[in-house]
Each structure stands twice: as structure tokens, then as C-alpha cells.
Amino acid sequence: MTTVGEALVHLLESYDVDTVFGIPGVHTIELYRGLADSSIRHITPRHEQGAGFMADGYARATGKPGVAFVITGPGITNTITAMGQARADSIPMLVISGVNQRDSLGKGMGFLHELPNQRAMMQTVAMFSHRVEKPDELPIVLARAFALFASRRPGPVHIEIPIDVMAMPLDGAEREEADAPIPHASAETMSELARQCLAAKRPAILVGGGAKSAAEGLKTLAEKLDAPVVSTTNGRGIMHGHPLLVPASPSLKAVRKLLADSDLVIAIGTEMGPTDYDMYADGGFPQLQRLVRIDIDAGQLDRWPAFMPIEASARETVQQLAALLPDRRNERGGEARAKVARDAAWAGVGPRIQSHVRFLNTLRDTLPDSLIVGDSTQTIYAGNLYYDHDRVGCWFNAASGFGALGFGPPAAIGAALGQPGTTTVCIVGDGGFQFVLGELGAAVDENVPVIFIVWNNHGYQEIERAMVEVDINPVGVRPSAPDYIKIADAYGVAAERLADINALPSALLKAKASKKPHLIEIDEKLVG
């Protein structure tokens, strides 16, 4: 007899799931019955929030959904933070949890890990939440989840299985094929968009995380339009080093001026949210003359109206539009406009941010084609303002959108597991690292060669600075930190504390050569 738990593992394999992150408990052991004999690798974090962040990093690195198994009650509430980050950043994540037996739900009888209404809570953060009441529902709800991941704006999905259902028989369960239509732009829409492009004298392009799949076509489109390309945080890596690229935040005055002066702005795969477009909360993002938005999610198009909203796949639409346009590179001064914006943006961020960006440039140039995963910390904030990464989709962090501290280390572990041939670097502050110190143990268990860079500014310095700027006496911003070198040693992780920032390249190369987890601590005073 095959149980529901065993059938779940079999079905996940059919969807090309090769890794699951989770901490087994008495409410999920039946989900593990078939796992040991499957092709799926199980990774044990030290906290369910870490499981969610690992699944997030894995999904960003691979493009496949990250999957987590968590217990009911505290397991699922611990995972909600990671699900909130995944929803904010449109990351495909499948969270499968237990829940108490069906006849006890909602009765408040005091069962272990009981919640008043777990599914109702999850519906506030998941794209959808479903309880499997009968065994034969399982293939159907999994098909629905993977159809959403493949065809629309992704995000976290929650499936809960009551403990009495997990052990029920479910023989012969096979993958269901679900209807997953991807929206397409009509021929008339594409023709009109091409006409608008041909009429524009000063076009510009905005790219967000949803444009990553269109990266190759974007270069052709930008060159044909002769249009500067502004990349948001999750769009970094697109068109690295290209003279049309402006790798700077739309929150900066110089970038806003470029966009305000443009007579056509094509925004591709960006929700145009304030953490990218108004991070200083000054309300200064300009009214754009003619805004075209290309997004796979109709809801996003409604939230920021455009004169041409196009609900469609970024990759397909970019390719179609590029094919409709003649080659007009350098006819509209696009490269000159981009250079003016880059130079002005660089000057505008000031010396302190510039020093942090130079640090990032050194890291990138020492370890080219690396995956850089960030937590909310100073150098990541600086990079989100101005930084040109050299690999598409390989600069990501939690310093935008939901903004969860403690994201970086577990997400980096998940990303490294997803791309084992790629060097993965995690940049985390001394404050944020204390949220998830235990995940060093998970890195050791799996021998994941993540280079952890601890950016030590002895507290929450960005918050302290913000308090001082508005005449608030800083309180609560100087939590004591452990000796990170000793912490690393306790886990058996090689570590060093830099005394000179010029030693960074050799320290990075040594860490990479070890092919094991490695920690480098940097006092922020070394960078300035």
C-alpha cells in the first residue's frame, strides 16, 4: 500500500523536485516515509524560518520552486516570514505542512501545535492555501500549484495535510496536467507598441526581476531602440557593462531625471514598488510622459496604471518587439544619455556609498560570475543604490520588498545547493547574522562552500543613523555580538578577521579554494 505521504514524494519527483528543506516532527513523519528511498535530497536547517529562506534562495538560483516540509503550529508560523519575503519578490515556494486530525480542527481542544485556524492564517500570505481533506485531492492541488508557478506571477503556495490523512492509502497517484495558459500580447498590441517605439526620440527601459528571463532579448531591444536601461535591485546582472546600462536605483535624482526627460518608458517585469522607486520616501518619482508596462500579472498592472498596460510574458514580448524594430543603435544618443545618468548617479550617492560599491566591485572582479546573496546591511543597501553585477539573477537580497533580517545566510545555502558549480557569497551584518547563526551548522552538514562575509558595524548602524538624523536619541541599536571567529570555529568552519581591506582578494580566493564553508569578518571601518 502506498500512503498519501509516499504518494506526495512520488508526485514531487514527477515535478522535477530534487531538494526539500525541513525539520521533521511528529506531525510530519508520515511525509518522510518515502523520502529516504527517493531521489529527493533532504536538507535540515536549524529553524523553520531557515527552511523557508533556503527554499527561497534555491528557487532564485534554479528558477524551480523551492519546497519546504514543516510541522503544524510553530513550524508554519516560523515559516511565514520567509513566505512573506517570497511573496514580495515573486519567488515560487511550495510549503507543505501538517495540521492536526480533521475531527479536531477549530475546536480548541488543546492538541499539540494547535492553532485556531491555520489555513485562514496562511491565506493572508500565500498565493493560495489548500487543505487536503481526501487523498485523491493531492494530485489535483499539486497540479494547481505548479501551474501557478509556471504561468503567472509566482509566490508561495501552502498545502496542509491533516495527520490522519497522511497515512491513508493513495495507490496509483500520477501527475495531473493542469491548464496553465500564459498571457500573450496580441498582434495589434505589438504593432502599436512598435509604432510608439519608432515615434519616440528619447526612449528608456526599466527592468525588474520579472525581466530576467528576457535578458538576452533585452540587449537586442535596447540597442535597436538606442534606449538607456535602468535596472532595479532584482534586475541587476542584465546587460552587465553595456554602455546603455544604468545600474542605479530609480530612487536617485539622476535616474529620475533620465526617466522624466524620456518621451517613452517601457517598464518590464517590475512592480514599481517604493523600495525600488521611492526608498527615501520623498514622493519624488516623476510623472512619466508615456509609460508602457509589460507584466505577467494583471493585478500589478492595475496598481500602477500605464497608457499601455500589456499583460504578457516578458521574454516573449521583448523578443517580438525587437523583431519588429529596425537597427537604430546610436541614432538617438542613448549611450550618451546613459553615461550622463550613470555619472550623475555615482556622484549623487556620495563618498560613503561609493566606498561600499568599490568593495562590491572588488568582490565581483575577484570572483567573477558569482552568486551574491545579501541580508539587510550597509554594503547591500549601497549595492541596491548603485552596482553592476556580472551575472543575471545572481545579485539578490532581502533589503527590499518585505525586508526580512536573517534572510542572507540560509538563502545563500539554498542558492549554493541549487547551483553547486557557482561560487556563492553571502554578505550579512553582525546584527542580521544573529537571527540565524545556527544555519552555519546546516552549511557544515551539507559541506556547502558558501563564503560568509560578516559586515561588522557593531549593531544596527543604519537604524542608529536614521534616528540621529531626526533627532531621536538612539535606543536598542547596539546589541552585543559574539566573536564570530570563535562561533565559526565551534562549527568547524575556517574563518579570519581582516586587518586590512587590501587583503580581501587573497582572502576570497583562499575561501573559494577550500571548497568548504568559510567565514570572513570585516569591520566596516576598514571600508568607511
Side-chain angles (χ1 to χ4, degrees):
M1 181 186 72
T2 300
T3 66
V4 167
E6 290 172 306
L8 171 65
V9 171
H10 166 70
L11 288 166
L12 290 175
E13 286 180 307
S14 75
Y15 285 103
D16 195 30
V17 172
D18 55 25
T19 306
V20 165
F21 305 91
I23 302 174
V26 294
H27 285 66
T28 55
I29 56 173
E30 282 295 337
L31 301 184
Y32 284 77
R33 184 176 294 279
L35 204 56
D37 295 327
S38 75
S39 62
I40 297 176
R41 180 181 187 181
H42 183 272
I43 308 298
T44 307
R46 298 307 187 260
H47 190 280
E48 288 94 352
Q49 181 172 289
F53 285 146
M54 287 180 191
D56 180 306
Y58 172 92
R60 296 189 201 225
T62 63
K64 302 194 303 182
V67 181
F69 281 4
V70 298
I71 64 168
T72 186
I76 197 69
T77 56
N78 285 341
T79 312
I80 281 182
T81 297
M83 294 175 70
Q85 188 71 51
R87 176 144 191 165
D89 290 345
S90 304
I91 304 304
M93 178 189 295
L94 178 59
V95 176
I96 300 173
S97 79
V99 72
N100 285 307
Q101 61 192 48
R102 289 168 296 171
D103 61 4
S104 73
L105 298 178
K107 295 181 180 178
M109 298 170 69
F111 280 94
L112 181 66
H113 301 329
E114 185 177 65
L115 283 167
N117 191 334
Q118 176 174 286
R119 184 166 164 248
M121 178 183 68
M122 298 308 297
Q123 286 173 324
T124 64
V125 66
M127 306 301 283
F128 75 84
S129 176
H130 182 95
R131 179 183 302 139
V132 177
E133 299 275 2
K134 299 177 181 178
D136 57 7
E137 292 178 19
L138 182 63
I140 299 169
V141 70
L142 282 173
R144 180 184 171 198
F146 281 89
L148 183 149
F149 297 146
S151 63
R152 294 285 173 171
R153 184 190 185 205
V157 168
H158 170 239
I159 298 173
E160 65 180 22
I161 307 176
I163 56 175
D164 56 322
V165 174
M166 290 180 191
M168 287 182 174
L170 180 57
D171 288 322
E174 296 296 335
R175 171 174 170 171
E176 296 269 348
E177 294 304 323
D179 185 22
I182 298 173
H184 303 281
S186 67
E188 293 78 12
T189 296
M190 294 306 303
S191 178
E192 174 59 19
L193 179 54
R195 189 184 72 80
Q196 294 287 342
C197 290
L198 292 171
K201 292 181 171 56
R202 299 179 310 282
I205 298 173
L206 281 165
V207 294
K212 290 181 292 189
S213 65
E216 187 175 339
L218 269 166
K219 178 176 178 290
T220 302
L221 176 61
E223 290 176 352
K224 285 192 169 187
L225 275 175
D226 196 22
V229 176
V230 176
S231 60
T232 67
T233 297
N234 287 324
R236 297 292 168 81
I238 294 173
M239 291 179 60
H240 166 65
H242 197 286
L244 285 170
L245 179 67
V246 182
S249 170
S251 293
L252 297 173
K253 289 181 179 179
V255 179
R256 289 175 168 183
K257 184 178 187 307
L258 168 71
L259 297 173
D261 291 344
S262 299
D263 59 358
L264 179 71
V265 177
I266 303 175
I268 305 170
T270 171
E271 68 178 1
M272 305 188 74
T275 53
D276 271 313
Y277 290 81
D278 194 19
M279 66 172 62
Y280 297 113
D282 60 10
F285 191 78
Q287 282 289 116
L288 303 178
Q289 295 182 46
R290 286 186 299 168
L291 175 64
V292 176
R293 292 195 64 195
I294 301 169
D295 202 290
I296 203 164
D297 182 23
Q300 284 298 329
L301 294 173
D302 289 342
R303 292 182 188 110
W304 191 304
F307 97 99
M308 274 194 75
I310 301 174
E311 183 187 0
S313 153
R315 181 177 182 179
E316 179 186 65
T317 308
V318 164
Q319 289 175 341
Q320 289 177 348
L321 181 57
L324 292 171
L325 298 176
D327 189 355
R328 299 177 67 175
R329 184 172 182 180
N330 297 330
E331 289 186 8
R332 302 173 182 175
E335 293 182 6
R337 292 171 62 217
K339 185 178 188 307
V340 168
R342 279 197 307 271
D343 292 348
W346 178 250
V349 297
R352 185 175 69 89
I353 297 297
Q354 289 175 356
S355 66
H356 290 255
V357 177
R358 291 190 188 99
F359 163 83
L360 292 171
N361 290 341
T362 298
L363 194 163
R364 177 198 64 204
D365 296 342
T366 304
L367 303 175
D369 291 324
S370 293
L371 237 163
I372 300 181
V373 184
D375 210 74
S376 293
T377 192
Q378 285 179 308
T379 190
I380 295 298
Y381 298 143
N384 286 350
L385 279 172
Y386 195 113
Y387 172 65
D388 183 13
H389 197 51
D390 61 350
R391 184 167 177 167
V392 176
C394 288
W395 165 270
F396 59 83
N397 55 77
S400 63
F402 199 58
L405 273 171
F407 168 87
I413 293 169
L417 288 165
Q419 287 199 22
T422 299
T423 303
T424 300
V425 180
C426 170
I427 301 176
V428 60
D430 58 298
F433 203 9
Q434 292 185 73
F435 281 50
V436 289
L437 270 176
E439 301 307 352
L440 273 176
V444 171
D445 285 351
E446 304 300 331
N447 196 31
V448 185
V450 175
I451 302 171
F452 297 95
I453 297 180
V454 182
W455 189 267
N456 197 334
N457 57 23
H458 311 285
Y460 303 131
Q461 193 174 103
E462 286 295 311
I463 304 304
E464 182 175 354
R465 182 179 288 110
M467 287 179 164
V468 171
E469 287 175 354
V470 293
D471 297 320
I472 294 173
N473 188 24
V475 174
V477 293
R478 291 282 178 173
S480 59
D483 184 322
Y484 286 103
I485 305 303
K486 290 181 179 178
I487 290 287
D489 182 62
Y491 277 106
V493 173
E496 63 180 302
R497 182 179 293 118
L498 292 192
D500 182 349
I501 198 60
N502 292 319
L504 177 63
S506 60
L508 291 170
L509 292 172
K510 181 172 75 173
K512 179 180 178 179
S514 75
K515 299 182 179 180
K516 294 180 178 180
H518 197 100
L519 186 146
I520 301 171
E521 183 180 348
I522 299 173
D523 191 299
E524 59 92 19
K525 293 175 184 177
L526 293 179
V527 176

